[in-house]
Amino acid sequence: MSERRYWLMKSEPSCFSFDDLKARPDSTEHWDGVRNFQARGYLKDEMKVGDRAFFYHSNIADPAIVGIVEVVKAGYPDWTAFDPENEHFDPRGSKEKPLWFMVDVRYVAPLPRPVTLRELKGVPEVGDMVLLKRGRLSVQPVREEEWRAILRLAGMQEEP
DNA sequence: GCCAACGTTGGC
DNA sequence: GCCAACGTTGGC
């Protein structure tokens, strides 16, 4: 069995929040609508079943990591790109030659308390995080040391 | 709501 | 294949 990798996935809570994920059937949802080529690469090829990700709330007064999710289905075509009615429609791809991909994630657990971006900026151990270096990437890798440092900050003794 | 940063597009 | 213009993200 290959080693679990760690990620961070952003969502605007007004659009789709961590609690919204919890409320879904099986607490599972497609992570659709990502239209950035670097993030696409992660979704399509690198995120594997069993990998875990921080769920990050962006575009709010105090943006923060609020919880943990798990990848339950690896990369497959994002059908919202095929639907002209959908806001994420992209005519460059097709069902035969999909351009955009998504994974399915399942709610695992909230952090004991949210860890804010503001707070992370003051923590040397996470100073190299993609979140701090390249703020706009909506799906991004997290190093294992960073993952653990954030769990510790949040007061989580043991990963569920 | 503003605007800086930065990813993407398209003319050349 | 460069790079200016444009559009979007996301912190503030």
Side-chain angles (χ1 to χ4, degrees):
Chain A
M1 173 158 168
S2 61
E3 202 156 307
R4 169 188 281 172
R5 293 181 66 187
Y6 298 100
W7 306 90
L8 182 145
M9 305 171 91
K10 293 185 193 172
S11 186
E12 300 187 24
S14 63
C15 177
F16 185 71
S17 72
F18 191 53
D19 283 339
D20 291 337
L21 176 62
K22 187 179 187 181
R24 289 297 150 117
D26 300 325
S27 295
T28 297
E29 185 57 286
H30 328 293
W31 204 265
D32 61 25
V34 175
R35 298 293 180 267
N36 166 284
F37 284 99
Q38 190 173 357
R40 168 192 185 269
Y42 297 137
L43 292 166
K44 176 174 179 284
D45 301 317
E46 300 201 35
M47 299 178 80
K48 299 299 176 198
V49 172
D51 283 2
R52 291 200 159 177
F54 285 132
F55 197 110
Y56 177 87
H57 281 168
S58 67
N59 246 311
I60 51 174
D62 232 349
I65 297 170
V66 295
I68 296 171
V69 301
E70 183 163 315
V71 177
V72 292
K73 182 171 177 176
Y76 62 105
D78 179 348
W79 53 266
T80 64
F82 307 142
D83 176 7
E85 304 292 303
N86 193 285
E87 62 172 324
H88 299 298
F89 175 62
D90 188 337
R92 292 176 295 177
S94 66
K95 284 175 188 168
E96 294 70 37
K97 276 197 126 185
L99 177 59
W100 299 112
F101 289 78
M102 59 187 176
V103 299
D104 289 358
V105 297
R106 180 164 41 91
Y107 181 99
V108 173
L111 295 187
R113 65 174 186 88
V115 175
T116 65
L117 177 63
R118 194 152 36 95
E119 183 180 359
L120 288 174
K121 284 177 176 169
V123 180
E125 294 159 280
V126 300
D128 286 331
M129 275 187 83
V130 180
L131 185 67
L132 304 181
K133 299 260 154 146
R134 249 174 308 158
R136 292 186 49 187
L137 192 59
S138 67
V139 175
Q140 52 180 262
V142 172
R143 294 209 298 255
E144 193 173 352
E145 313 88 83
E146 297 162 345
W147 181 269
R148 291 217 204 90
I150 289 165
L151 292 186
R152 208 178 315 125
L153 271 175
M156 188 169 255
Q157 308 298 330
E158 198 171 322
E159 191 171 340

